[in-house]
Amino acid sequence: FGIHALLVVTVTLSPVTAAAQSENDVTGEDVYPPLWDLAPENLLDFPVKDNKIVISAWNYQDRLGVYKSLLSASAKYFDAFGPQNSGNILWGLPLQHGWQFRTGRLADPSGVTSCGYENGELLCQSVRSWWSCMNYYLSIIPFLGAVEAGLFGQLPYEIEILPPEEQKDDFCYSVKDCWSHMPKLMDDWKAFFEVNNLSSFKLDDALGLMWKAHTSSIAYALPKFQDSLKYLSDPEANFGEDWANAVDFIAATHFSTDLLTTNHFQAFLPQRMLVEGDVIPSISDFSPEQNKVLVSLRALHKVNKLTGGLLLKLWQKAMSTEAGRKKGRELIESL
């Protein structure tokens, strides 16, 4: 249990104490991502042009529709885990994206365009947004992996993803294109969505495959969009990198990303962009819990960096059994 003790020490260096939060106060928002009801639910709800289903990945509603179609097509496999598809472990992805939209993280941080702003193009997702670019690899790539895995059956049309206005080479736009550019990523997501796997899975195994693909996506995208961090304030850029580092620790526990669990834990994330002058753990308009989460993520990233990644390796080793992962999840929940 040395690694558990080390992790507790690492992320409780802060003087902030977390108050208990009741189950009923999980989030002040609706449990679904913003505009969920307006997003396309079926692939044939997207426009079809030249015998291709055309998806605008730089429009929030279209990207949400990609998630909605994934949840809809995989619903039958998660029936046993909660009513109305609430036990589907894919909920973590659109809920994270909804949080990014609600907190302004998908808008143009350079301020050069009105992309993503209420007085401009609210549903536009900026290619200058670090969060939006990172999320491409956690939305479009999983989706194309699912198409290839046969989750949607035999589609009458090919899929075409529309490119952004700049940085076109940082993304791929069809199943074939993505396979040629990032075969390992596509393979990881395809492995999760393989219908024969989904038909007879154990939840822990499914979570393992999903988190493996999830962390692969982040590891691939992180160096690619390093330059985009320059558009963010220092506190926000630090938080982004801290978040990306923390995902590896969470992934190792096979943390469940169903609807209710994800909503519960998202309540502790910052509900606006961090700006210059925000100093953790004393951001006055953040709750004690939100301040504590920021401090914990910062400390975790710093110690992992100082140890050359050894902290993560030790943690992953401790999480290599089901019993270890259960303890890891309990530890994350208690913190």
Side-chain angles (χ1 to χ4, degrees):
F1 296 107
I3 180 63
H4 292 88
L6 180 58
L7 199 78
V8 171
V9 169
T10 300
V11 298
T12 50
L13 296 174
S14 139
V16 182
T17 53
Q21 186 155 350
S22 78
E23 284 293 335
N24 299 331
D25 188 28
V26 168
T27 166
E29 306 286 334
D30 183 34
V31 292
Y32 298 104
L35 309 179
W36 185 250
D37 288 345
L38 301 177
E41 185 166 355
N42 188 299
L43 288 187
L44 297 177
D45 294 338
F46 287 97
V48 175
K49 192 179 175 190
D50 299 330
N51 268 343
K52 288 179 179 173
I53 294 168
V54 180
I55 297 172
S56 174
W58 301 94
N59 173 284
Y60 170 72
Q61 214 162 302
D62 269 28
R63 215 182 274 195
L64 209 55
V66 162
Y67 286 131
K68 204 169 180 180
S69 62
L70 281 174
L71 275 153
S72 179
S74 60
K76 60 188 173 191
Y77 304 114
F78 293 93
D79 275 350
F81 302 104
Q84 295 176 297
N85 206 19
S86 62
N88 194 320
I89 60 175
L90 287 170
W91 273 114
L93 296 171
L95 286 168
Q96 266 283 284
H97 196 48
W99 163 76
Q100 291 162 359
F101 175 75
R102 195 168 56 239
T103 57
R105 288 179 162 85
L106 304 177
D108 181 355
S110 69
V112 171
T113 70
S114 63
C115 179
Y117 292 96
E118 277 189 52
N119 57 354
E121 308 160 81
L122 179 61
L123 297 181
C124 171
Q125 287 194 207
S126 176
V127 73
R128 293 186 176 202
S129 157
W130 179 84
W131 292 97
S132 186
C133 291
M134 291 294 291
N135 178 265
Y136 193 95
Y137 285 82
L138 290 168
S139 55
I140 301 304
I141 308 303
F143 166 67
L144 293 174
V147 170
E148 180 71 358
L151 184 71
F152 300 100
Q154 198 65 40
L155 288 170
Y157 309 107
E158 279 181 51
I159 305 280
E160 183 185 11
I161 310 293
L162 297 179
E165 287 179 10
E166 48 188 297
Q167 293 176 232
K168 289 184 174 68
D169 292 346
D170 288 333
F171 309 96
C172 60
Y173 307 104
S174 67
V175 171
K176 193 177 173 185
D177 184 25
C178 294
W179 268 112
S180 65
H181 284 92
M182 47 198 81
K184 186 192 177 298
L185 264 194
M186 287 289 284
D187 204 45
D188 283 349
W189 281 108
K190 181 173 180 267
F192 169 68
F193 283 112
E194 294 281 14
V195 174
N196 57 336
N197 286 350
L198 286 172
S199 298
S200 57
F201 68 84
K202 214 171 104 187
L203 190 57
D204 185 66
D205 294 340
L207 283 160
L209 285 170
M210 189 206 66
W211 278 117
K212 182 183 181 221
H214 191 123
T215 51
S216 292
S217 277
I218 290 177
Y220 185 91
L222 209 49
K224 198 178 268 287
F225 301 113
Q226 198 63 29
D227 285 354
S228 301
L229 291 168
K230 70 184 177 203
Y231 296 118
L232 301 175
S233 69
D234 286 347
E236 180 69 18
N238 285 337
F239 166 58
E241 292 190 297
D242 295 345
W243 164 87
N245 170 75
V247 170
D248 283 326
F249 286 87
I250 294 165
T253 72
H254 294 187
F255 198 80
S256 183
T257 42
D258 59 71
L259 182 69
L260 295 179
T261 308
T262 306
N263 264 309
H264 183 75
F265 285 95
Q266 267 195 183
F268 302 112
L269 292 178
Q271 297 304 304
R272 62 163 173 80
M273 297 270 279
L274 274 68
V275 295
E276 299 299 350
D278 279 337
V279 180
I280 56 174
S282 312
I283 303 176
S284 59
D285 60 332
F286 284 9
S287 69
E289 295 88 354
Q290 287 166 343
N291 270 295
K292 173 154 187 176
V293 163
L294 291 175
V295 171
S296 300
L297 296 182
R298 182 94 283 242
L300 194 60
H301 191 191
K302 271 187 178 170
V303 175
N304 194 39
K305 224 172 175 176
L306 283 171
T307 60
L310 181 63
L311 182 65
L312 177 61
K313 286 190 177 78
L314 289 170
W315 176 250
Q316 287 170 331
K317 193 176 178 188
M319 298 298 110
S320 60
T321 64
E322 266 196 70
R325 290 192 288 276
K326 185 170 186 284
K327 285 195 167 59
R329 289 192 295 271
E330 288 167 0
L331 180 62
I332 288 170
E333 286 166 20
S334 68
L335 291 171

